[in-house]
Amino acid sequence: MNSSLFEQHQKTLESALNAIKTRGYWSPFNEMPSPRAYGETAAADGEAAFKAQLGQPFRLDQPGSGTVGEERSPFGFALNIGYPNAEPDALIAAAQKAQAQFRKAGPKAWIGVSLEILARLNQASFEIAHGVMHTTGQAFMMAFQAGGPHAQDRALEAIAYAWDAMRDIPETAYWEKPQGKNAPLAMEKRFTIVPRGIGLVIGCCTFPTWNSYPGLFADLATGNAVIVKPHPAAILPLAITVRIARQVLQEAGFDPNVVTLLATAPNDGALVQSLATRDEIRLIDFTGSTANGDWLETHAPQAQVYTEKAGVNQIVIDSADELKAVSRNIAFSLALYSGQMCTAPQNIYVPRDGIRTAEGTVSFDDVAQSIADAVRKLTADPAKAVELTGAIQNKGVLDRIEQVAGLGTPLLESQRLAHPAFPQATVSTPILLKLDAGRDEATFTQEWFGPIAFVIATDSTWHSLELAARIARTRGALTLSVYSTDEAVLDAAGEAAVTGGVALSVNLTGGVFVNQSAAFSDFHATGANPAANASLADAAFVANRFRVVQSRRHVPQREPA
Amino acid sequence: MNSSLFEQHQKTLESALNAIKTRGYWSPFNEMPSPRAYGETAAADGEAAFKAQLGQPFRLDQPGSGTVGEERSPFGFALNIGYPNAEPDALIAAAQKAQAQFRKAGPKAWIGVSLEILARLNQASFEIAHGVMHTTGQAFMMAFQAGGPHAQDRALEAIAYAWDAMRDIPETAYWEKPQGKNAPLAMEKRFTIVPRGIGLVIGCCTFPTWNSYPGLFADLATGNAVIVKPHPAAILPLAITVRIARQVLQEAGFDPNVVTLLATAPNDGALVQSLATRDEIRLIDFTGSTANGDWLETHAPQAQVYTEKAGVNQIVIDSADELKAVSRNIAFSLALYSGQMCTAPQNIYVPRDGIRTAEGTVSFDDVAQSIADAVRKLTADPAKAVELTGAIQNKGVLDRIEQVAGLGTPLLESQRLAHPAFPQATVSTPILLKLDAGRDEATFTQEWFGPIAFVIATDSTWHSLELAARIARTRGALTLSVYSTDEAVLDAAGEAAVTGGVALSVNLTGGVFVNQSAAFSDFHATGANPAANASLADAAFVANRFRVVQSRRHVPQREPA
């Protein structure tokens, strides 16, 4: 059964392996929520499943008693879902027991089970999309794509890296060392891949599946048991994920406690810290605040810790053929999910003397105004705007918009929009402020997570690049974007990106946005600046999730083949 | 020049890549100190170079002033070599400057330079062997093999893993995403491999080259600058290594400060701690005590830290065809370099009811006596014995022999031997004690580094295996050895090895000893128990020494190929 799952999905795996090495476009999961791809009734079925879950206990037959859960949709209603309340001790004990059996099944079984879970998750994309939408505040299309097929892509990418690392270890080897005139020494060696133990995956409230799947599947594909700890505000998408994983495990003959859910009420910091430092927890994948990520990196030395934390994403505008196309692209990046993406830009550097364009020099103020106008235009029609911005995930974001307002010269006020379908939804358009690089560094060197951006006057493009490199290096960044018609500037931007350890996008004026990161092609985060200590995904992301234990014994010398 | 070095050594690299994947026997470096392999005058030239260095300043044109160094040969004389005294600040500044240029040369240049350094080190094997002998106390043959070709093998292994990880990242990729009826989105992506920064390699006093080369060459092969900090008692072999590395770097057109030496006087703990926690130090490779290794793992979060620390290596005797062959093999392992190997066995578990052999049951006491007799026989002739035991590296080892003597029932006293060639040498044969598993756990669960071993009475082989697994898991271990004629016991030993995360050797009665670990085939340490957090070498050992920074830009859609 286990190896048949591997064989069943082997073609997908082979394609994924090819994709991570060639890094062109590829995905086995359709990103369009279309009936042709997902079936005529999939959309309605998914929505119905989501609605049926509201106000009900979430069934998951794992150790624990009672229920927990206080999720509210950013679109304005309480989910009222009661998740099983689990004691960390009980989950650890159950995971250890399950892991002992799972471990012995070996790499092909781990990979096969992981790929089958992924196939089932893809079928549940609509249900998960509604879960993502009503916990994160993402508009439906993004919730479907980022929460469904794109998250599944990132999971498959991690599985492919895991298989690539494990298949490099031969199961056995024949070793024959010449001894001059004496008979050679001959040994057979056996290499057993041993998972680390129990992984803890700590989710965030904005991309509960996209950011958690790589760690979850990297752990599972290398034979580790996993405890999934969603953000208290975004449990449902991961609860559905865990339910599906447990079903597949059970069908494949494994103890379903290989994957368990630790749902929590808000303010679960102490609980998470005490769990994360347990000796049994050998792998931690975390997405969230810098404070919590740094804490884990320094206080859980028993575990391999992979973190994605805060950062300051930046855009350098040097010159452009057509400013309008630049502004449109930037405006989209600012408005998309109200800037609540770890990849959303915040600091936009423009020389105070203006920029060159095909129509001559444009002043700093006119560049700033052009971006503000583009955002205004994009958000003018509330019915269209909300499908782009979604809703504000939490009150902290709203507070930040208020707090930042006094710190610069207003370019664009944040507007509250009425959502046509969800009157109680909290929808806010981006706020834009003008800052000065010389005066306002204290403001723009910190992350203002949400629909908040600064157009910052610098002395020159070289100054802009110096700032971008330094801030990425010291404060962290996932994205850097540059606009220039000058190849020397683009070369310098490339150097700034290397210095800052940050991915660079050049002259995006079309249908690609700096916020977007495509699995199998784009490395998400570099692990080379404080925004993350790992990259999604690469060999380093998987290679230390398992170890190799060998045994060797003498065997008769083999005849040469 | 740089890429020509790569091409010059490409065949060796290809063979090494094949070796790490198939893990059979392979080495490009001859382990016999023979004129045929190394040249007619190599032995004499190497010895002369060593002797000429005694009492002289060590020339190394790197930042610093004055000299430092207090090495004494365990064979009984002071080396009186003055190494350049360097300020950590100055070395960091020089390394940063050198690294900026080295980084831009790219992977092929890094690999080419690393392989050329290795080829030159091989030519210097005799000089290095004398340096290793007269700092570590190893007898000449071991100093030559472990300090020369075997260390070079481990370096090449690390280089091969580094290249294997880096070549998986394409330099460019073409990405084309279909957009339904619209023209596809087309981008070119560039991927730049970026070294972490500066590596710090901290050597030990018993295997200064063998244990340091993997980290040194893994760093260098991935473009990092390296500061080499030898143990104060074993500077010379690494000083020669650094000198050769700097020559090659300079000849290849690089700033030689890519590799620098930080020689120190004894008790350099505070200096090392302050250096290791510097923000510029992004990689640390350490071999030494558990206390120092644990300190680095928890106090240097800015760096990737790879450690090899103390452990308790164990032998389980269940049954044997011929006890004498077992005892001979074990005795050799105990006597080799006076047990001053991180892989040397310490705890030998024997059921108190005795073991089955082809000649019937042998009592516990007779098994213990057989091992003691074998050690006695092996060390009876001092002239032969010293070529096996070498000398005692430091007084701590001697003190430990005295300290342990009262903790068990004597089986074999440690003897001081007179070295025929070096009358002042400190030579001590192994001490063997009988212990009881039920009573003496406090004694045998700690590492007694040196020629100290225990024959421990257990309730049964199952008890022995339980102890072995538990102690490996909790105290750390690099090796586990089992003797049994029963496949069920061998299976259980395999499980114990997995539980303990320790490499297993089965029924070694011939020319292979549990202490030995062959590059390209045996993984040295697993990283899965407290004896080490990394393995020499695997993908995890190299994959996080570099990061990838990408850039992407739109390009015209390409015609299908």
Side-chain angles (χ1 to χ4, degrees), chain B residues 527-544:
Chain B
N529 69 45
N533 78 353
S535 180
L536 302 180
D538 61 12
F541 189 68
V542 299
N544 223 344

Side-chain angles (χ1 to χ4, degrees), chain A residues 101-403:
Chain A
Q101 178 211 15
F102 193 54
R103 192 257 291 161
K104 291 183 187 171
K108 282 198 172 176
W110 308 332
I111 295 285
V113 161
S114 300
L115 291 171
E116 176 64 18
I117 293 169
L118 213 44
R120 306 269 186 105
L121 287 173
N122 182 249
Q123 290 164 18
S125 291
F126 280 94
E127 182 185 0
I128 290 171
H130 285 281
V132 169
M133 176 178 178
H134 289 293
T135 51
T136 67
Q138 289 172 22
F140 180 78
M141 183 60 99
M142 179 189 264
F144 181 88
Q145 294 188 331
H150 292 176
Q152 293 148 21
D153 281 340
R154 284 286 177 201
L156 178 54
E157 182 185 59
I159 294 168
Y161 272 105
W163 177 244
D164 198 35
M166 293 191 297
R167 69 175 172 172
D168 256 2
I169 315 291
E171 289 183 22
T172 62
Y174 174 69
W175 178 89
E176 184 184 292
K177 183 174 180 180
Q179 298 293 295
K181 288 167 191 161
N182 298 320
L185 296 167
M187 301 193 96
E188 186 187 71
K189 310 200 177 184
R190 293 184 169 272
F191 303 97
T192 303
I193 292 181
V194 180
R196 283 272 179 195
I198 304 178
L200 171 63
V201 175
I202 301 173
C204 65
C205 61
T206 47
F207 290 90
T209 57
W210 197 96
N211 274 99
S212 298
Y213 280 7
L216 167 58
F217 282 92
D219 281 353
L220 211 50
T222 51
N224 298 280
V226 189
I227 297 172
V228 178
K229 207 296 294 176
H231 191 285
I235 301 171
L236 182 57
L238 286 174
I240 297 168
T241 303
V242 169
R243 184 170 63 198
I244 289 170
R246 293 171 62 86
Q247 278 163 0
V248 171
L249 283 160
Q250 202 147 31
E251 287 171 26
F254 293 111
D255 183 336
N257 290 327
V258 168
V259 180
T260 55
L261 180 76
L262 179 59
T264 58
N267 303 315
D268 59 4
L271 180 148
V272 173
Q273 290 191 354
S274 112
L275 174 59
T277 51
R278 287 279 297 259
D279 187 57
E280 297 91 341
I281 301 295
R282 294 302 174 105
L283 296 154
I284 299 176
D285 286 84
F286 167 86
T287 313
S289 73
T290 295
N292 288 341
D294 286 349
W295 192 94
L296 289 168
E297 286 176 29
T298 50
H299 288 80
Q302 89 289 354
Q304 305 292 317
V305 179
Y306 308 85
T307 61
E308 186 184 318
K309 301 168 289 186
V312 178
N313 300 314
Q314 307 167 97
I315 298 177
V316 171
I317 307 183
D318 168 70
S319 50
D321 283 333
E322 198 203 346
L323 179 59
K324 267 202 176 159
V326 172
S327 298
R328 258 199 318 268
N329 187 284
I330 293 175
F332 190 92
S333 282
L334 298 177
L336 188 62
Y337 186 29
S338 301
Q340 298 169 114
M341 300 178 74
C342 52
T343 50
Q346 172 183 299
N347 291 359
I348 304 164
Y349 304 110
V350 180
R352 68 179 87 254
D353 295 336
I355 67 165
R356 276 173 296 106
T357 73
E359 285 121 36
T361 298
V362 179
S363 72
F364 171 82
D365 279 336
D366 286 350
V367 173
Q369 203 52 59
S370 166
I371 297 168
D373 288 347
V375 175
R376 198 177 286 117
K377 195 168 166 191
L378 207 57
T379 55
D381 176 353
K384 282 185 191 164
V386 298
E387 297 307 325
L388 183 60
T389 63
I392 299 296
Q393 207 283 329
N394 62 72
K395 189 168 170 300
V397 176
L398 291 180
D399 293 348
R400 224 171 279 131
I401 298 172
E402 275 188 34
Q403 193 191 339

Side-chain angles (χ1 to χ4, degrees), chain B residues 189-234:
Chain B
K189 310 199 178 184
R190 293 184 169 273
F191 303 97
T192 303
I193 292 180
V194 180
R196 283 272 178 193
I198 304 177
L200 171 63
V201 174
I202 302 174
C204 64
C205 61
T206 46
F207 290 89
T209 57
W210 197 96
N211 275 99
S212 298
Y213 280 7
L216 167 59
F217 282 93
D219 281 353
L220 211 50
T222 52
N224 298 280
V226 189
I227 297 173
V228 178
K229 207 295 292 175
H231 190 285

Side-chain angles (χ1 to χ4, degrees), chain A residues 31 103 177 189 196 487 495 504-506 516 521-523 526-527 538 547 550-553, chain B residues 31 103 177 189 196 487 495 504-506 516 521-523 526-527 538 547 550-553:
Chain A
E31 70 176 3
R103 192 257 291 161
K177 183 174 180 180
K189 310 200 177 184
R196 283 272 179 195
E487 283 296 329
E495 272 302 301
L504 178 69
S505 294
V506 175
Q516 296 169 331
S521 182
D522 293 321
F523 291 104
T526 64
D538 61 11
R547 301 282 73 212
Q550 70 170 59
S551 77
R552 59 182 183 181
R553 62 201 293 182
Chain B
E31 70 176 2
R103 191 258 291 163
K177 183 175 180 180
K189 310 199 178 184
R196 283 272 178 193
E487 282 297 330
E495 271 303 300
L504 178 68
S505 295
V506 175
Q516 296 170 330
S521 182
D522 293 321
F523 292 103
T526 64
D538 61 12
R547 302 282 71 213
Q550 69 171 59
S551 77
R552 59 182 183 181
R553 63 201 294 181

